[in-house]
Amino acid sequence: MNLDHKTSDEAAAELSEAVSSEPDVFTYTHYFSKPFTFRGVTHEQLTFDWGALTGNDHMAIETEMLRHGKTLIVPEYTSEFLCGMAVRACTARNDENFRVLNTDAMKAMPMRDFQTICKRARNFLLHAGS
């Protein structure tokens, strides 16, 4: 008699628990260690929905880079591209439904916060191909 045999419900519950314990690469909420203020707007946290980005977003980021004389070689390792991704993936909006985050705000962040957000964007790109 095999005591290790699990019902399909038990196996499904274990699988669901394992999947839910894996980090979500599609969304990320960044918590600032110290509130970040840019042009009079203060943020304690920002949420990024990488999964909402589209091919149009990719092309728009690349076009913006080209406009500034930057060449896109490998998006996963290009700070400008990852910064553009973060701006477009940020879910925070003002009262007029405009983005509260732009590239100037990203560049003004403390380096640790900037790097952490870009790292999460990179992780999404790297996992998207697997």
Side-chain angles (χ1 to χ4, degrees), residues 19-84:
V19 168
S20 67
S21 67
E22 292 179 12
D24 180 8
V25 296
F26 292 99
T27 60
Y28 168 63
T29 299
H30 182 77
Y31 298 91
F32 293 92
S33 56
K34 184 173 111 179
F36 170 66
T37 301
F38 182 76
R39 294 187 182 157
V41 179
T42 301
H43 303 282
E44 294 184 11
Q45 70 182 47
L46 290 171
T47 298
F48 302 88
D49 185 358
W50 314 118
L53 297 175
T54 66
N56 282 332
D57 291 308
H58 188 285
M59 292 172 62
I61 296 166
E62 188 172 1
T63 299
E64 185 67 22
M65 288 177 61
L66 290 170
R67 223 179 286 148
H68 292 338
K70 306 283 185 177
T71 304
L72 178 65
I73 298 173
V74 181
E76 294 88 345
Y77 299 105
T78 307
S79 294
E80 289 87 357
F81 188 88
L82 298 173
C83 181

